[in-house]
Amino acid sequence: MNLFIRRATESDVPAVAALWRSLVGTDGCTWDEEYPGIEEAQEDAAHGDLYVLCTDENKIIGFSVMSK
């Protein structure tokens, strides 16, 4: 399987928000059901700060937010 990193688009926002929510309650995670959410993902994507790690099938399996 090949993996690649690309800048997230608006269409990636629901998948990223779902991935964020899946981490709530895991060791070391300080997020909750409210934050981060769709709005934060939309803002990060709109500013070009959200990146996603994808499989060959374009399934998002990781992310990074890098602000300028």
Side-chain angles (χ1 to χ4, degrees), residues 3-24:
L3 301 175
F4 62 97
I5 297 170
R6 63 175 172 76
R7 186 170 274 158
T9 64
E10 181 67 27
S11 65
D12 297 320
V13 166
V16 171
L19 187 55
W20 287 351
R21 290 234 163 88
S22 75
L23 297 172
V24 171

Side-chain angles (χ1 to χ4, degrees), residues 15 23 26 40 45:
L23 297 172
T26 60
E40 288 79 18

